[in-house]
Amino acid sequence: MIIWSGIVALLAVPSVAAETLPPGTVTLTVVDDGKTDGPEIPAIADAVGDAFNSANYLVLPATGPSRYRARVAIDHEQRGLVGAPSGTKAPAASVANWGGGVQLALPTQKQDLRALIVTRMTITLTAWRDGRTLWTGSAVTAQVGGTQANAPAVVGAKLAGALVSRMPAVLEGPLSVP
């Protein structure tokens, strides 16, 4: 703390944890709802890998050694139904032997009921050599099921970006990501 003529200024000092968690190589293991294989795993792994690469970590294949291991756990939970705009038909035109026709979709206020999916991502970073947990953090988002916003790559990028950008700060609870 520094005091200048009655004004108090607090200096931001990096935490000790930041010094003990320098960037390096990392391998990823993604577990989606308890499964290590599935159609969504590669998209989530790519999104998490991009977040680590942006934070100056080098993501290596999971089969070899590295400085860190990152275990990424994804959990999905349906929490009720929400109204979502229904899809609209694209304009169409057709011509045949007996004539032609045009179909136009008029704007509508129709709503479909879709599931609200709450996704939680937990990243646990451990040391490769001794398996000691160095950092862990969770983030949560809620998206309408069946929409582009709930695609695995989009959700994975949102949650991983929020978590990796806050490493190695101690998180009091899960981050809420819109």
Side-chain angles (χ1 to χ4, degrees), residues 99-175:
V102 175
Q103 177 184 9
L104 295 175
L106 297 175
T108 180
Q109 296 298 322
K110 273 187 168 179
Q111 296 280 316
D112 286 339
L113 287 178
R114 296 190 182 194
L116 180 66
I117 307 295
V118 176
T119 304
R120 175 187 292 255
M121 176 184 283
T122 303
I123 298 178
T124 304
L125 198 66
T126 59
W128 179 267
R129 291 181 187 221
D130 59 6
R132 183 173 38 99
T133 299
L134 303 172
W135 182 83
T136 189
S138 292
V140 178
T141 189
Q143 303 296 328
V144 178
T147 62
Q148 181 59 31
N150 195 46
V154 174
V155 171
K158 266 192 226 186
L159 296 176
L163 285 171
V164 173
S165 68
R166 285 169 177 80
M167 275 187 355
V170 176
L171 303 176
E172 296 298 321
L175 298 173

Side-chain angles (χ1 to χ4, degrees), residues 25-27 58 60 64-69 127-129:
T25 56
V26 63
T27 57
L58 177 62
L60 297 177
S66 65
R67 185 175 197 167
Y68 305 111
R69 270 188 243 172
W128 179 267
R129 291 181 187 221

